[in-house]
Amino acid sequence: MFKKKLLKNKKRGLITTEAIVTECLPNNICRVKIKDTEIISTCYLSGNMVKNHISLIVDDVVVIEYSIHDSKKCRVIFRK
């Protein structure tokens, strides 16, 4: 559905996947539902998205990356 080069992580220990925004909170924080699982996690926007004033709304499909140790906190790196 999206380009394969987005799936490659330069950092070790991160998982990149798609998610759907379920709730928007203040200060560029949102809650997303990860597509592969039923986990709802809290996300923040990456620095590049904040710099370019990209905002999210409910039901946006986004690409997130999260740690293999904790899936409750993640970072939004791309909005589709």
Side-chain angles (χ1 to χ4, degrees), residues 6-79:
L6 288 175
L7 289 174
K8 294 180 182 176
N9 283 319
K10 294 179 182 175
K11 301 175 186 175
R12 292 186 181 175
L14 292 178
I15 300 170
T16 304
T17 186
E18 286 187 343
I20 298 173
V21 177
T22 58
E23 182 182 358
C24 293
L25 302 171
N27 296 330
N28 293 327
I29 297 175
C30 60
R31 295 218 173 123
V32 297
K33 180 179 156 208
I34 300 172
K35 279 193 173 180
D36 299 337
T37 61
E38 297 299 319
I39 299 172
I40 294 180
S41 62
T42 306
C43 290
Y44 63 92
L45 294 180
S46 67
N48 200 15
M49 293 181 75
V50 172
K51 183 178 75 172
N52 292 318
H53 304 290
I54 297 172
S55 60
L56 299 177
I57 57 173
V58 178
D59 293 333
D60 270 349
V61 178
V62 293
V63 178
I64 61 169
E65 61 182 21
Y66 58 93
S67 172
I68 57 175
H69 304 295
D70 185 20
S71 63
K72 295 292 181 185
K73 299 259 181 163
C74 56
R75 176 174 53 202
V76 178
I77 57 172
F78 186 74
R79 186 187 76 174

